[in-house]
Amino acid sequence: MHGEPRDGRIVIVGASLTGLRAAEKLREEGFTGSLTLVGEEPQPPYDRPPLSKQVLLGKVPAGHTGLPQRRELDAQWKLGVRATGLDPIEKRVLLADGAEVPFDRLLIATGTRARRWPHPAEGALDGVFTLRTSDEARRLAERLDAGPRRVLVIGAGFTGSEIASACRERGLAVTVAERGPAPLVGALGGTLGALAAKLQRAHGVDLRCGVTVTALEGDGRLTGAQFSDGTRIDADIAVVALGAVRNTEWLVESGLAAGPRGVTCDAGCRAFDMYGIVTDDIFAAGDVARFPHPLFEYQLLSLEHWGNAVAQAEVAAHNMVNPGPRRRPHLTVPAFWSSQFGLNIKSVGVPTFSDQVVIAQGSLKDARLVAVYGYRGRVTAAVSVNQARSLEYYQRLIETAAPFPPAPGAADQIESPDPVPSDVPDPKLLSHGPTVALTGHLPDRRLTVVQPAR
Ligand SMILES: Cc1cc2nc3c(=O)[nH]c(=O)nc-3n(C[C@H](O)[C@H](O)[C@H](O)COP(=O)(O)OP(=O)(O)OC[C@H]3O[C@@H](n4cnc5c(N)ncnc54)[C@H](O)[C@@H]3O)c2cc1C
């Protein structure tokens, strides 16, 4: 490094929302050194939330979701090239085209990608899609324009449910297959999951819960699918919406604490090495980062929220160009939104960090409500459905660890004042991360060995 934190060479790997917002913040904070952004996708940074909403509805072309650049960056853009490795000793990023990019400080912002269908031959059938990139959204929107006879959506998380909603709005026949008991259960628990199921069915979705898709059929072209309950359907499009995979493979030999759950970092966005020692020149932010949050018992959170990406990018950038005492923690309360089946869903806090939930305002019957989540007697999250106005109030309750259930306000009538179990999945059951084992006996010879997930 050239002495001053505001000078030197900063490299950002991942040129999307997090990468762009961090670059802007670095310049805003007075960074005058060289700035390089490396991105695998050929196009400049764009926004993903519209891809499963306005783009699939045909209201916005896939190529028109570019993120506005809010200031001059004076940066070198290396787009359309993947980073394949990181040498933290020599401080360089290795690229797929054989080039090397030296750095003094590095920001890892490689986000996630869509999980593929596990059977490659079936996944390669014409008509099978995933949705994460602008290209994928364009191809899927084109196929929806052509009027398929039936769309199968595999997985009813947020992305799958939004895709199903867009297809129904286009008047297409839709089957949704969900392994869990209802849509959105993995993110919002049983109460709102049941509401989502009711609404999907009311909007004409053939919703099948508690089943898995066991095979995608076709000969070159998708023709149908088989389910674990022995049934089958004809379908000419299947969208695999089985969640996201963190883009950390390029870091496998970097010595960083990087794996399927993301790149572990401290609250100041500094990455940990594989021994759990914090580095001082490598930072992580956005969907790829995994960080401790004091409001959630310092558990490591991996979030896939637009707002978190922006806030964490800004904290990382600030800390990259400021000395220790002036560094900031990333303490933003997580928040996200979704729109589907006529519902405007907004969330603050971490609904899965809960043991109970109560409908604090409104009612499930009217699909207009605020559900408040609690963990061991304090408020940890709130989700509004078509009633976002009061969410700020609940955010303050989360921030102040207010008692759960919250005192009834002067708000409208409450359907049921009694908390019920939140029925979020046990995180241990969802775990598919690697195990870290210790080897060696002498204290100075101990090493950590990462064992792949079984
Ligand atoms: C369809 C869809 C709908 C969404 N809707 C919502 C919503 O309604 N509300 C909400 O809060 N959030 C939503 N999100 C999530 C939100 O878009 C993400 O939180 C946000 O994109 C995270 O930004 P990021 O820059 O951290 O990661 P990403 O956007 O994943 O960007 C990472 C970038 O790094 C690149 N990259 C990966 N590996 C490498 C490598 N080795 N070398 C170089 N480049 C690499 C990738 O190509 C990508 O461009 C949605 C996401 C999707 C896909």
Side-chain angles (χ1 to χ4, degrees):
M1 181 149 94
H2 299 236
E4 283 298 308
R6 289 194 166 76
D7 195 5
R9 299 161 300 183
I10 289 186
V11 173
I12 298 175
V13 181
S16 186
L17 177 65
T18 301
L20 175 64
R21 292 292 176 252
E24 290 171 345
K25 183 73 174 167
L26 284 167
R27 290 303 189 205
E28 193 185 309
E29 294 256 345
F31 176 65
T32 54
S34 86
L35 182 56
T36 306
L37 286 104
V38 179
E40 184 172 10
E41 294 180 80
Q43 57 275 68
Y46 60 86
D47 224 4
R48 294 178 207 274
L51 301 183
S52 51
K53 305 173 185 79
Q54 295 89 336
V55 171
L56 286 196
L57 284 170
K59 291 181 179 165
V60 173
H64 287 209
T65 74
L67 282 164
Q69 217 183 89
R70 299 179 301 191
R71 58 179 299 127
E72 189 47 55
L73 285 183
D74 186 20
Q76 247 203 301
W77 292 83
K78 291 182 183 291
L79 297 180
V81 61
R82 191 161 53 91
T84 52
L86 164 64
D87 178 344
I89 309 291
E90 296 296 324
K91 291 190 153 190
R92 49 198 184 143
V93 173
L94 317 179
L95 303 186
D97 62 7
E100 295 180 359
V101 193
F103 64 85
D104 296 307
R105 275 150 293 158
L106 170 72
L107 176 64
I108 298 169
T110 44
T112 65
R113 63 181 182 277
R115 191 183 303 282
R116 305 268 153 209
W117 185 242
H119 310 290
E122 294 176 11
L125 289 170
D126 182 27
V128 180
F129 291 86
T130 51
L131 179 59
R132 176 86 200 170
T133 68
S134 170
D135 267 359
E136 289 170 328
R138 180 183 48 75
R139 287 198 299 271
L140 179 56
E142 280 167 9
R143 289 296 282 271
L144 297 182
D145 282 344
R149 277 169 301 142
R150 179 166 292 274
V151 179
L152 167 64
V153 179
I154 308 173
F158 277 104
T159 304
S161 298
E162 288 181 0
I163 294 166
S165 172
C167 290
R168 284 305 299 140
E169 211 171 316
R170 279 171 170 260
L172 299 171
V174 180
T175 296
V176 172
E178 165 58 44
R179 184 175 57 172
L184 308 183
V185 165
L188 302 182
T191 301
L192 291 187
L195 173 65
K198 197 173 131 196
L199 276 157
Q200 290 209 9
R201 291 194 171 110
H203 280 80
V205 172
D206 166 31
L207 174 65
R208 301 176 181 210
C209 296
V211 294
T212 53
V213 174
T214 50
L216 294 175
E217 305 167 338
D219 186 8
R221 234 193 145 103
L222 179 78
T223 52
Q226 291 174 14
F227 299 98
S228 53
D229 61 3
T231 56
R232 73 166 299 286
I233 57 162
D234 288 334
D236 31 17
I237 289 189
V239 190
V240 179
L242 293 174
V245 178
R246 286 169 166 79
N247 291 317
T248 55
E249 291 81 357
W250 67 285
L251 297 167
V252 75
E253 288 176 9
S254 66
L256 292 180
R261 296 187 197 182
V263 178
T264 309
C265 60
D266 72 0
C269 308
R270 295 177 301 178
F272 284 117
D273 72 11
M274 64 189 289
Y275 304 106
I277 297 174
V278 77
T279 59
D280 210 31
D281 44 19
I282 302 178
F283 294 72
D287 281 14
V288 78
R290 188 170 180 239
F291 63 98
H293 200 304
L295 278 178
F296 306 100
E297 296 186 349
Y298 295 94
Q299 282 198 17
L300 295 172
L301 302 182
S302 305
L303 301 176
E304 294 168 34
H305 304 346
W306 193 96
N308 179 69
V310 172
Q312 201 171 20
E314 293 187 349
V315 171
H318 171 88
N319 291 346
M320 288 174 92
V321 293
N322 278 282
R326 288 218 290 270
R327 286 184 173 164
R328 293 183 193 143
H330 174 52
L331 294 179
T332 317
V333 177
F336 69 86
W337 77 95
S338 170
S339 46
Q340 48 182 281
F341 299 106
L343 299 182
N344 172 13
I345 301 174
K346 289 197 172 170
S347 166
V348 287
V350 181
T352 49
F353 194 83
S354 67
D355 47 25
Q356 288 193 304
V357 64
V358 67
I359 306 299
Q361 289 183 35
S363 75
L364 287 163
K365 186 168 47 65
D366 299 334
R368 196 177 133 79
L369 58 102
V370 179
V372 178
Y373 296 72
Y375 185 65
R376 293 186 184 163
R378 67 183 176 88
V379 176
T380 51
V383 176
S384 68
V385 177
N386 292 345
Q387 190 160 343
R389 235 175 336 124
S390 43
L391 223 49
E392 250 176 60
Y393 166 74
Y394 292 102
Q395 178 166 334
R396 274 196 301 281
L397 297 190
I398 298 165
E399 283 165 352
T400 53
F404 177 90
D412 46 7
Q413 277 200 329
I414 303 166
E415 194 173 62
S416 154
D418 298 323
V420 296
S422 61
D423 285 340
V424 295
D426 180 347
K428 288 196 283 300
L429 296 178
L430 292 181
S431 164
H432 49 261
T435 314
V436 176
L438 287 175
T439 64
H441 297 288
L442 297 173
D444 63 341
R445 294 280 164 85
R446 297 204 89 175
L447 294 172
T448 58
V449 177
V450 179
Q451 298 172 338
R454 279 185 282 273

